[in-house]
Amino acid sequence: SFHDLDNLKRFFEHVHRGSESDQRVLQEIFSDENAARAFQYRIIHSAPSLLHDIHHIAKPDWTPLLQCRLPIHFIHGDQDALNYIEDIDELASRLEQASVHRIKGAGTWLLGKDPTRTFELVTEIIGTSGAAGSSRTAHSNE
């Protein structure tokens, strides 16, 4: 049960064992009792979000996005061990209006690597959202 903080920690360490970046984020979260309890609360009380994530990994259906004519931006860590950057690149290649923005060295939790640069990237995307056409150029956080 995730009501036991040690179980929660072991579970997420196991799930994210393939990403050094995510392991560092977990170490930081669980080294602070308040942060660990806040993380535990979010996990326990976000079942619909977790189910959506599992569904996305197990049986993704991106066909509705083919109908979308708005720009689509995938912001993704290149060290994500759950949803590989190569899969995101392949998906974006099938969507005419999609761009992939890589966060170099980040895992599943982008903000754990470089929150300032990640927020700058989001701000940049929002600031250019009114520009005509879409960019197929992948950005990276160096």
Side-chain angles (χ1 to χ4, degrees):
S1 161
F2 289 160
H3 292 281
D4 179 313
L5 202 55
D6 289 331
N7 285 343
L8 180 73
K9 180 181 179 187
R10 278 192 302 276
F11 173 80
F12 277 94
E13 286 175 340
H14 178 74
V15 168
H16 296 286
R17 66 191 177 281
S19 172
E20 287 182 40
S21 176
D22 287 337
Q23 289 292 320
R24 284 191 301 274
V25 171
L26 288 168
Q27 186 175 32
E28 191 173 317
I29 289 169
F30 286 100
S31 68
D32 178 324
E33 174 83 17
N34 290 328
R37 293 288 177 200
F39 179 71
Q40 180 184 39
Y41 181 88
R42 285 192 310 271
I43 295 300
I44 290 170
H45 292 90
S46 64
S49 175
L50 292 172
L51 288 173
H52 183 270
D53 288 350
I54 291 168
H55 176 76
H56 161 67
I57 292 168
K59 189 177 183 211
D61 178 13
W62 294 93
T63 53
L65 284 179
L66 294 172
Q67 309 297 318
C68 182
R69 293 294 154 228
L70 298 172
I72 298 170
H73 298 273
F74 293 100
I75 302 172
H76 204 81
D78 67 354
Q79 299 299 311
D80 187 333
L82 296 178
N83 296 292
Y84 300 110
I85 189 69
E86 295 81 10
D87 294 334
I88 303 303
D89 286 338
E90 192 275 327
L91 170 61
S93 74
R94 293 186 282 139
L95 301 168
E96 180 180 321
Q97 70 283 26
S99 298
V100 175
H101 308 271
R102 286 178 173 77
I103 303 296
K104 185 176 177 157
T108 301
W109 294 313
L110 301 176
L111 297 177
K113 172 62 178 166
D114 187 351
T116 301
R117 177 60 190 128
T118 303
F119 282 122
E120 287 173 353
L121 175 59
V122 171
T123 302
E124 177 186 322
I125 290 168
I126 292 169
T128 60
S129 65
S134 65
S135 168
R136 298 292 299 173
T137 306
H139 298 278
S140 87
N141 179 12
E142 315 254 9

